[in-house]
C-alpha cells in the first residue's frame, strides 16, 4: 500500500476505492471544510448570542423564562449530536450523515428567518402595551429553533471528525500536521462567531431581525456549495465494525457473567487475537491498562463456556469510554460558566451605560465578540509559540498533555467568574449610591467594565474547549470517534441544561414568599452578585474534582501492525507528570 502511494490508514474515496496520499486529504481537503464551520458558527451564534434579547423584547418573556429557554435550546443543540454520531458510526458514515443533517439545519434557518420577518408571526404592540405571543406564534418560532437543533445533531459531531480523518495517523508528517488541526479548526469556528457577535447582533437590533437571520442563512447555503466542491479529494474512513457501540454493552455483560472466575496472574494470559488478525483487518490493537480491573473478567478464558470471551482490545475500548465519562462529568460546571455569556452576561450588560459617542449604543450581546477576539488572538500564539516552547521543555509533541491543557483552561475560567462577581458587586454598589431602582434605569457604569470576564473566558476556551474536542476525539475507541466527540458536545449541552435548572431553582428559592430573587426581571433590584458567587464556589470545588479525576486517568495506548513492522501510538501514556496529571 505504502509503495503505491496510497494512504496507510486504509481510507477510501466516496466510491470505496483506495486513495492516493499525495492527491487527497491533509489541509487542502480541510480548506473546503473550515469554510462550512465558519459559516455554521456564524449562523449558530447569530441566533444564540442575542436570543435572550429577542425573547424578552419581541416575544415578551420574563428574564428567568428567557434564560431557561435559551439554555434549553442551546442544550438541545449540543445534546442531539449523540444521535447524529451514533447514526454516522453505525449506519451512514460521517459524510452522508452530515449531508442529510446540513439540509435540515438550513431548513430550520429558513423557517426562523421567515418567523422573525413576518408581522403575523410576532406579537403586536399598541400604545406601548404589548400582547403576549399567541400559541401559534410560539409554536412556529420554537419549531424553527428545534429544527436547527436536529440539524446540528448530525453536523456538529461529524464535520470536525471528518476533518481529522483527512490526516493519516501512520504517516509521521501527516500526524504532525494533525497536532495543529483542532487549533485551526476552532480558529475558523471563532471567526464565524466573531462576525455574528459584532455584525449580526447590530443588524438584528438596528436593521431588523429578518435581515440579521437571513444573512447567515445565505452564508450557510454558500458554504455547503463550497463543501461539496471538495468531494473528489476527501478521505473516508472504512467502517470496520458493524455496531461500534456494541462492545459497551457486551463487555460489562460478559464481565458480570464471568464474575466468579479468577483473574490470571499476568494480563498476557487474557484473551486476545493473534497479531496477524489485526494486520489483516487494519484495526488497531489497544494495550492493556490496570484501571477498571473488574472489566478484565470479560477477557478471561473459560473452557467451560460456549461463548468466546471478549478480547483485551474490546475491554480496553470500554475502559476508555468509562475513563472519558469520568473526565466528562467534571466538565459540566465549566460548561455552565460558559452558558452565562449568552444569557446573564447579556442581561447584565443591558443595565449599564452602552453609549459610544453621542448617538451610538453598543448592543449588549456584541461584547461576546471579545470572547471570540481573544480566542482568535490566542490560538495562533498557542500553536506557534506556546506549543514549540513547551515541546522543548517536556518532549511532548503537543507541548503539554491534553489534561494539563484542560486544567489550565479551568483555572483561567475560575479567574473570569471571580472578576464577574467583583464587577457585579461594584455595579450593586453604584446602584445603591445613585438610588437606582427601575428596571430600565441605566447604571452609570460603562459596559466595558465587563470586558475582562469576556476576554478571560475567550483565553480559557483556547485551552479547555479545543482541548476537550481533541481529547475526546483522540481518546475514543477507533470505531467510535464520532460518538466519542459527542462527549464534548453533550458536555456543553448538559452544562446549558444545568444552568437552566440552577437559574430556575435559585429564582424559586430566593424569590419565594417576600424574598428578593437573585435573578429577577429587574436586575437593578436583584442579587446577581450572589449567583456569581455561588458559581465561583462550585467552580473551585469542581477544579479539585478534575484534578482527582485526571490523576486516575490513563491515556490510550494503541498499536497497528503491518507486514513491514509495528507502529505504537501514545507510548508515554503511563508516566506521571509533576502536576499529577497523566502524560
Amino acid at each position: 500500500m505504502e509503495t503505491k502511494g496510497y494512504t496507510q490508514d486504509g481510507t477510501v474515496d466516496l466510491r470505496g476505492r483506495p486513495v492516493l496520499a499525495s492527491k487527497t486529504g491533509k489541509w487542502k481537503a480541510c480548506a473546503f471544510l473550515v469554510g462550512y464551520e465558519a459559516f455554521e458558527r456564524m449562523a449558530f451564534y447569530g441566533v444564540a448570542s442575542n436570543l435572550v434579547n429577542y425573547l424578552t423584547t419581541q416575544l415578551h418573556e420574563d428574564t428567568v423564562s428567557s434564560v431557561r429557554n435559551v439554555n434549553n435550546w442551546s442544550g438541545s443543540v449540543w445534546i442531539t449530536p449523540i444521535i447524529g454520531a451514533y447514526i454516522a458510526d453505525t449506519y451512514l458514515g460521517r459524510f452522508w450523515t452530515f449531508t442529510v443533517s446540513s439540509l435540515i439545519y438550513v431548513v430550520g434557518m429558513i423557517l426562523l428567518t421567515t418567523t422573525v420577518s413576518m408581522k403575523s408571526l410576532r406579537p403586536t404592540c399598541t400604545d406601548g402595551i404589548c400582547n403576549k405571543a399567541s400559541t401559534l406564534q410560539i409554536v412556529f418560532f420554537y419549531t424553527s429553533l428545534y429544527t436547527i437543533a436536529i440539524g446540528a445533531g448530525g453536523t456538529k459531531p461529524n464535520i470536525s471528525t471528518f476533518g481529522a480523518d483527512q490526516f493519516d495517523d501512520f504517516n509521521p508528517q501527516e500526524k504532525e500536521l494533525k497536532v495543529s488541526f483542532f487549533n485551526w479548526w476552532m480558529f475558523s469556528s471563532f471567526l464565524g462567531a466573531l462576525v455574528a457577535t459584532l455584525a449580526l447582533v447590530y443588524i438584528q437590533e438596528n436593521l431588523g431581525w429578518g435581515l440579521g437571520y437571513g444573512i447567515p442563512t445565505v452564508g450557510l447555503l454558500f458554504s455547503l456549495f463550497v463543501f461539496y466542491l471538495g468531494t473528489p479529494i476527501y478521505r473516508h474512513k472504512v467502517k470496520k465494525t458493524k455496531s461500534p457501540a456494541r462492545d459497551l454493552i457486551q463487555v460489562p455483560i460478559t464481565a458480570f457473567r464471568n464474575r466468579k472466575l479468577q483473574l490470571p496472574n499476568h494480563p498476557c494470559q487474557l484473551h486476545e487475537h493473534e497479531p496477524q488478525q489485526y494486520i489483516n483487518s487494519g484495526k488497531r490493537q489497544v494495550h492493556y491498562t490496570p484501571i477498571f480491573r473488574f472489566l478484565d473478567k470479560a477477557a478471561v478464558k473459560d473452557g467451560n463456556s460456549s461463548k468466546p470471551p471478549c478480547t483485551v482490545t474490546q475491554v480496553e475500548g470500554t475502559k476508555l469510554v468509562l475513563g472519558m465519562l469520568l473526565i466528562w462529568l467534571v466538565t459540566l460546571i465549566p460548561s455552565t460558566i460558559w452558558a452565562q455569556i449568552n444569557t446573564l452576561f447579556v442581561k447584565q450588560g443591558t443595565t449599564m451605560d452602552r453609549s459610544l459617542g453621542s448617538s451610538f449604543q453598543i448592543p449588549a450581546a456584541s461584547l461576546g465578540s471579545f470572547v471570540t477576539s481573544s480566542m482568535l488572538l490566542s490560538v495562533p500564539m498557542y500553536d506557534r509559540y506556546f506549543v514549540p516552547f513547551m515541546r522543548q521543555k517536556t518532549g511532548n509533541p503537543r507541548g503539554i498533555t491534553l489534561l494539563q491543557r484542560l486544567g489550565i483552561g479551568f483555572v483561567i475560567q475560575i479567574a473570569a467568574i471571580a472578576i464577574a462577581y467583583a464587577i457585579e458587586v461594584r455595579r450593586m454598589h453604584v446602584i445603591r449610591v445613585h438610588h437606582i431602582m427601575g428596571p430600565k434605569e441605566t447604571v452609570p457604569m460603562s459596559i466595558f467594565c465587563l470586558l475582562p470576564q469576556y476576554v478571560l473566558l475567550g483565553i480559557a476556551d483556547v485551552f479547555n474547549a479545543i482541548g476537550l474536542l481533541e481529547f475526546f476525539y483522540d481518546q475514543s475507541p477507533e470505531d467510535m470517534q464520532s460518538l466519542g466527540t459527542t462527549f464534548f458536545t453533550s458536555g456543553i449541552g448538559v452544562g446549558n441544561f444545568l444552568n437552566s435548572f440552577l437559574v430556575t431553582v435559585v429564582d424559586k428559592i430566593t424569590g419565594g414568599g417576600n424574598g428578593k430573587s437573585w435573578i429577577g426581571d429587574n436586575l437593578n433590584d436583584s442579587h446577581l452578585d450572589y449567583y456569581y458567587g455561588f458559581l465561583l464556589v462550585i467552580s473551585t470545588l469542581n477544579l479539585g474534582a478534575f484534578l482527582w479525576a485526571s490523576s486516575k486517568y490513563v491515556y490510550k495506548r494503541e498499536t497497528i501492525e503491518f507486514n513491514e513492522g509495528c507502529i505504537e501510538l501514545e507510548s508515554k501514556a503511563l508516566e506521571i507528570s509533576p502536576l499529577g496529571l497523566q502524560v
Side-chain angles (χ1 to χ4, degrees), residues 167-168 171-181 391 397:
F167 299 91
D168 188 343
N171 180 312
Q173 292 180 338
E174 292 193 26
K175 184 171 176 60
E176 186 174 345
L177 289 173
K178 190 175 180 178
V179 169
S180 297
F181 167 74
R391 187 181 291 154

Side-chain angles (χ1 to χ4, degrees), residues 130-432:
C130 297
N131 299 317
K132 287 189 175 182
S134 67
T135 302
L136 177 63
Q137 292 168 338
I138 292 173
V139 167
F140 205 93
F141 181 78
Y142 281 104
T143 297
S144 305
L145 279 183
Y146 282 92
T147 300
I148 294 173
I150 294 170
T155 59
K156 198 61 190 166
N158 292 305
I159 188 67
S160 59
T161 49
F162 186 64
D165 289 346
Q166 306 308 309
F167 299 91
D168 188 343
D169 274 335
F170 309 112
N171 180 312
Q173 292 180 338
E174 292 193 26
K175 184 171 176 60
E176 186 174 345
L177 289 173
K178 190 175 180 178
V179 169
S180 297
F181 167 74
F182 285 105
N183 290 332
W184 292 102
W185 176 262
M186 293 297 283
F187 183 89
S188 68
S189 176
F190 301 154
L191 198 61
L194 180 64
V195 173
T197 51
L198 271 181
L200 295 182
V201 165
Y202 177 82
I203 291 171
Q204 289 162 5
E205 293 192 9
N206 295 275
L207 301 179
W209 292 90
L211 182 62
Y213 288 159
I215 291 173
T217 302
V218 173
L220 203 58
L221 285 166
F222 172 74
S223 67
L224 283 174
F225 172 74
V226 173
F227 172 82
Y228 290 113
L229 286 179
T231 301
I233 63 172
Y234 292 151
R235 298 174 182 177
H236 303 263
K237 284 285 181 73
V238 177
K239 190 172 66 171
K240 299 169 184 175
T241 305
K242 290 184 178 179
S243 181
R246 184 179 59 184
D247 290 345
L248 302 182
I249 300 172
Q250 183 181 355
V251 169
I253 290 175
T254 306
F256 180 78
R257 189 175 66 236
N258 295 348
R259 65 190 182 280
K260 295 182 180 179
L261 298 179
Q262 188 70 28
L263 283 172
N265 295 326
H266 197 278
C268 68
Q269 295 174 293
L270 294 171
H271 176 62
E272 181 60 292
H273 291 316
E274 293 295 326
Q276 187 62 43
Q277 187 162 338
Y278 287 103
I279 294 174
N280 294 338
S281 65
K283 291 190 67 174
R284 305 179 190 181
Q285 182 179 356
V286 186
H287 287 231
Y288 174 83
T289 57
I291 59 172
F292 302 118
R293 294 196 67 213
F294 62 92
L295 293 175
D296 291 346
K297 291 196 174 184
V300 173
K301 301 173 184 177
D302 181 14
N304 298 322
S305 175
S306 58
K307 296 182 179 179
C310 299
T311 63
V312 170
T313 293
Q314 288 176 300
V315 173
E316 291 302 317
T318 304
K319 288 182 180 181
L320 283 172
V321 173
L322 286 179
M324 290 192 299
L325 180 61
L326 192 62
I327 299 299
W328 177 84
L329 287 172
V330 291
T331 68
L332 300 183
I333 297 300
S335 294
T336 301
I337 303 302
W338 174 258
Q340 310 311 314
I341 294 174
N342 295 328
T343 53
L344 291 178
F345 282 10
V346 176
K347 295 301 294 180
Q348 184 183 20
T350 59
T351 68
M352 304 172 77
D353 182 8
R354 297 183 286 133
S355 59
L356 191 64
S358 57
S359 59
F360 185 77
Q361 286 277 325
I362 301 169
S366 287
L367 257 65
S369 64
F370 287 95
V371 175
T372 48
S373 297
S374 61
M375 288 175 176
L376 289 170
L377 291 173
S378 300
V379 167
M381 293 177 64
Y382 181 91
D383 192 71
R384 298 304 184 194
Y385 300 104
F386 182 79
V387 171
F389 175 78
M390 293 304 299
R391 187 181 291 154
Q392 291 180 346
K393 299 289 184 181
T394 64
N396 189 309
R398 293 185 173 93
I400 55 177
T401 68
L402 293 171
L403 290 177
Q404 287 171 340
R405 182 173 185 171
L406 298 184
I408 293 171
F410 294 158
V411 169
I412 297 173
Q413 199 178 58
I414 289 174
I417 199 64
I419 290 175
Y421 167 73
I423 295 298
E424 182 60 16
V425 169
R426 173 64 181 170
R427 192 182 73 91
M428 297 302 295
H429 173 72
V430 173
I431 286 172
R432 288 193 296 271

Side-chain angles (χ1 to χ4, degrees), residues 490-509:
S490 63
I492 299 175
V494 173
N496 276 275
F497 287 130
L498 181 58
N499 187 56
S500 176
F501 171 77
L502 289 176
V503 166
T504 302
V505 171
V506 167
D507 176 62
K508 287 185 177 180
I509 292 176

Side-chain angles (χ1 to χ4, degrees), residues 36-48:
Y36 172 82
E37 180 66 10
F39 278 104
E40 188 278 326
R41 289 294 85 186
M42 183 176 76
F44 172 74
Y45 285 107
V47 176

